[in-house]
Amino acid sequence: MSNRIVPLSKTPKLKQLAKLQCNIFRTTYNPQQLRTEAHILRKPLKGQIISNYYGPADFPTPFQIAKLWKSDDFRLVIEKEDYRQRRVNMLRKRGKGAPTKQKGPADAKKKK
Amino acid sequence: MSEVLKIVKASKPMKRFPQPVSIPTGFLNTRVLRDNFKRQMAAQYEVTTKALKFIARNAALPQKVRIEAQVQLTALPNFTRMNQVRDRCVESGTSKKIIKPFRVSRYQFRLMARDGEFPGVKKGVW
Amino acid sequence: MLTASCLRTARRQFSLSARKLNINKQLDELAALKLQGSKVPTVDSVKAEKSRLVDAFGQYEPQVLTTEEVLPGSSRPLPINAELNYYAPLKHEVKHGHLKAEIVFKAFEPANLEFIADFALRVAYYLGLPATGPLPLRKRTERWTVIKSPFVHAKTKENFERHTHGRKIKIWDADNEVIDIMLSVLQKHSMWGVGMKCNMYVQEPLGMGKAMQKLSDNAKQVSDLSSTLDTLHEESDSPVAQKVVELLKDPLFAQHLTSEQLEQVQQKASNSD
């Protein structure tokens, strides 16, 4: 492009030449150099990849799996949950556990 | 696994967002949930946004149609835009220093790589 | 474990000796012998058939390179095709030099990769495909340097790295269907941690130019709505193009179009349907 002094679309003869060139090499003839944005149609969609970033949705959690295969002679242990349970029990035995939830409505705020 | 998935009841779509989306499994965090919502919406509206963009930027189309498309494009809510999504750590939810091929932050990457979670990754010696 | 250079020299030496012994001819003879041996006359009782089968097997005299190797538990020697597994894979000669396929294996560990490349060459030999390789590809090294601590203390860091090794096998002068068979065999016996990729090359038959003449004479011209509709029609597979046509027909956008333009849009849309 740079070494061409007169642009192909300036004079009528050169215009014809440009059109012929486009016909031969199967390129788009765009004398006014308009924006067509055809690349938007051709680019692959990336929504699928973007929405799957955090892995499959509604994949069964350990709790759900443990519930599925629950039976008398077979017990699935969820290590994290097991550790939490044992820790809470130990704290309760020592009297350091969380206080029990109050059943009744909370008392009205005392005025100062 | 697909049979199991059928048996397990799908979690309820969240009501805190303008449109209901499914919840990801794994580490959850307010920011992760928000980003997940944006991702779902961006994917859902991708075709519409691109079509509107095509109409608005195409100089061969009538001017009024192009302006109308641009107005529609700007009227879409922010959560439908692709540039609103941010890569977050799958393990801890932080958004800083994410190592892209593994989708985890630097510290989680170090822990997991030391445990041999990523095939082929080992301590660098050279 | 043998080193790569050792393997390479062994392969070269063996291919030389194989050429001297004319192994291909021997294998052909062997196949013919096997066919002779398997011809069993039909008999009514199953027992007799079985015994004759055993007899037929007794006639089978496999040719061997070395006489020392005898299968344990029997007096029969090791068959030649079983014995070949101890040597580098045989290769057919490349005659015409038409590259047909490039199979690339990639893995993080070289051990499995060596094995599968070797296996692929054997598969190619027994399918009658001339193959060359395995050509080791350049090792790709990825490195990550991360701060050791979860918060601040950025002076202490830890390095991690991952090497990706590759082997390339080229297949020449072959039919695409046979290559498909080879690929399905490789896929069936694929190994853990080894990825496979194949670039296939197809040669067009003579008379390609005639087919090209069928294309429309005039190049596309960008000017107005109709040219845009043409491009939309060409890209009608893409969901975005479908959506654009749908939007243009929508009353929201149709109100800005003249009746002629709207007609054009509807006509094109009906054509694409």
Side-chain angles (χ1 to χ4, degrees):
Chain A
M1 274 296 204
S2 58
N3 58 0
R4 213 184 276 152
I5 299 159
V6 185
L8 274 180
S9 52
K10 273 283 163 69
T11 60
K13 265 201 174 177
L14 286 177
K15 229 176 189 176
Q16 275 184 353
L17 179 67
K19 196 164 187 185
L20 194 68
Q21 197 179 335
C22 288
N23 273 347
I24 290 164
F25 297 111
R26 312 244 141 249
T27 49
T28 314
Y29 179 56
N30 193 353
Q32 292 142 306
Q33 314 223 314
L34 295 171
R35 266 176 93 174
T36 57
E37 298 291 301
H39 67 269
I40 291 183
L41 306 177
R42 269 175 236 132
K43 264 186 188 170
L45 300 174
K46 53 180 182 176
Q48 198 64 34
I49 301 163
I50 277 190
S51 60
N52 283 345
Y53 182 85
Y54 293 109
D58 297 329
F59 195 77
T61 59
F63 288 97
Q64 283 172 324
I65 288 170
K67 208 178 168 187
L68 260 179
W69 283 291
K70 201 178 174 186
S71 69
D72 296 334
D73 53 344
F74 179 69
R75 194 171 75 96
L76 271 173
V77 178
I78 306 162
E79 274 187 26
K80 261 189 178 176
E81 178 62 13
D82 201 48
Y83 172 76
R84 192 190 69 86
Q85 292 277 3
R86 276 190 281 122
R87 188 168 157 275
V88 167
N89 285 341
M90 287 296 287
L91 283 172
R92 258 193 208 147
K93 272 181 194 169
R94 283 192 289 142
K96 305 275 184 188
T100 49
K101 235 181 180 180
Q102 282 186 338
K103 277 189 177 176
D107 298 335
K109 277 180 186 175
K110 285 171 189 173
K111 281 177 186 173
K112 276 183 184 178
Chain B
M1 212 63 206
S2 58
E3 285 176 21
V4 176
L5 281 169
K6 270 177 208 166
I7 299 161
V8 172
K9 224 168 104 183
S11 58
K12 278 182 189 170
M14 301 199 81
K15 281 180 183 171
R16 60 199 274 187
F17 298 117
Q19 283 187 43
V21 285
S22 54
I23 310 162
T25 44
F27 183 86
L28 279 186
N29 197 337
T30 315
R31 273 156 265 139
V32 165
L33 282 177
R34 219 178 286 158
D35 187 51
N36 173 57
F37 167 72
K38 282 176 187 169
R39 279 168 187 279
Q40 307 283 327
M41 288 300 110
Q44 196 179 313
Y45 280 85
E46 193 189 12
V47 174
T48 319
T49 320
K50 276 192 158 183
L52 285 172
K53 253 184 202 173
F54 175 81
I55 296 172
R57 312 272 160 85
N58 195 336
L61 286 176
Q63 198 64 36
K64 275 189 178 176
V65 175
R66 288 177 63 189
I67 291 170
E68 180 65 53
Q70 189 58 46
V71 168
Q72 292 300 320
L73 201 59
T74 40
L76 282 175
N78 265 347
F79 55 73
T80 59
R81 306 194 201 296
M82 277 286 175
N83 55 6
Q84 292 272 321
V85 303
R86 183 113 165 73
D87 282 356
R88 284 195 164 271
C89 177
V90 175
E91 291 292 315
S92 67
T94 177
S95 71
K96 277 160 196 172
K97 192 80 188 180
I98 304 293
I99 294 169
K100 276 221 172 178
F102 307 104
R103 300 182 294 169
V104 288
S105 70
R106 62 167 170 83
Y107 189 62
Q108 295 298 325
F109 170 76
R110 178 174 165 252
L111 293 182
M112 287 172 84
R114 275 156 50 104
D115 288 354
E117 298 265 338
F118 305 124
V121 178
K122 47 198 168 188
K123 273 203 71 152
V125 182
W126 70 89
Chain C
M1 212 175 102
L2 288 166
T3 56
S5 63
C6 195
L7 266 174
R8 229 173 281 140
T9 46
R11 195 173 297 154
R12 208 176 299 135
Q13 276 183 355
F14 181 71
S15 62
L16 276 173
S17 62
R19 219 171 286 160
K20 267 182 209 159
L21 287 168
N22 202 355
I23 275 185
N24 280 355
K25 205 179 168 190
Q26 281 187 358
L27 277 175
D28 287 347
E29 282 169 11
L30 184 70
L33 242 166
K34 211 175 174 184
L35 274 175
Q36 272 181 20
S38 62
K39 269 182 197 165
V40 184
T42 48
V43 275
D44 35 28
S45 68
V46 183
K47 212 174 180 183
E49 199 179 312
K50 265 186 185 172
S51 70
R52 269 178 212 184
L53 256 173
V54 170
D55 286 347
F57 200 69
Q59 287 170 18
Y60 172 66
E61 288 172 17
Q63 302 192 20
V64 287
L65 281 174
T66 48
T67 44
E68 301 99 297
E69 287 261 22
V70 174
L71 280 174
S74 70
S75 58
R76 271 183 266 121
L78 194 64
I80 190 165
N81 48 0
E83 197 189 347
L84 281 177
N85 285 329
Y86 292 111
Y87 300 97
L90 291 170
K91 288 171 191 172
H92 288 293
E93 207 182 322
V94 180
K95 272 182 188 165
H96 308 292
H98 295 310
L99 182 62
K100 277 295 188 173
E102 285 176 340
I103 307 175
V104 178
F105 297 103
K106 285 205 169 170
F108 299 134
E109 301 289 336
N112 278 359
L113 196 67
E114 289 271 345
F115 184 86
I116 205 95
D118 192 85
F119 174 70
L121 281 177
R122 283 173 207 281
V123 171
Y125 178 76
Y126 287 112
L127 284 173
L129 300 172
T132 53
L135 182 76
L137 299 178
R138 179 169 280 243
K139 185 172 78 178
R140 187 182 167 213
T141 311
E142 292 160 288
R143 290 209 176 92
W144 297 276
T145 303
V146 292
I147 300 168
K148 267 192 177 182
S149 82
F151 182 63
V152 298
H153 308 303
K155 271 193 179 178
T156 46
K157 303 200 178 190
E158 194 165 7
N159 291 309
F160 292 96
E161 65 184 354
R162 183 171 73 178
H163 302 302
T164 315
H165 306 265
R167 292 293 128 91
K168 193 199 260 179
I169 289 169
K170 286 182 182 174
I171 296 190
W172 309 80
D173 311 337
D175 193 69
N176 281 336
E177 275 184 37
V178 187
I179 296 175
D180 280 341
I181 294 170
M182 182 183 171
L183 290 178
S184 59
V185 169
L186 289 179
Q187 204 163 23
K188 191 185 172 193
H189 301 286
S190 59
M191 252 184 163
W192 183 88
V194 183
M196 185 173 71
K197 196 182 89 178
C198 182
N199 296 329
M200 280 173 79
Y201 300 98
V202 182
Q203 261 124 356
E204 286 293 333
L206 285 174
M208 251 296 276
K210 281 177 190 170
M212 279 178 75
Q213 276 173 6
K214 283 174 195 167
L215 295 169
S216 61
D217 287 338
N218 292 324
K220 267 193 304 179
Q221 188 171 342
V222 178
S223 53
D224 56 347
L225 182 70
S226 64
S227 67
T228 309
L229 288 172
D230 282 338
T231 47
L232 286 174
H233 183 66
E234 271 173 35
E235 305 279 339
S236 55
D237 292 341
S238 110
V240 180
Q242 289 164 14
K243 187 78 185 175
V244 169
V245 176
E246 200 182 295
L247 282 176
L248 286 176
K249 280 195 290 181
D250 194 80
L252 190 70
F253 286 91
Q255 63 179 354
H256 301 301
L257 294 169
T258 60
S259 56
E260 273 179 40
Q261 285 170 331
L262 195 62
E263 215 169 85
Q264 258 186 356
V265 171
Q266 273 158 358
Q267 207 178 354
K268 283 279 173 187
S270 61
N271 276 354
S272 63
D273 289 339

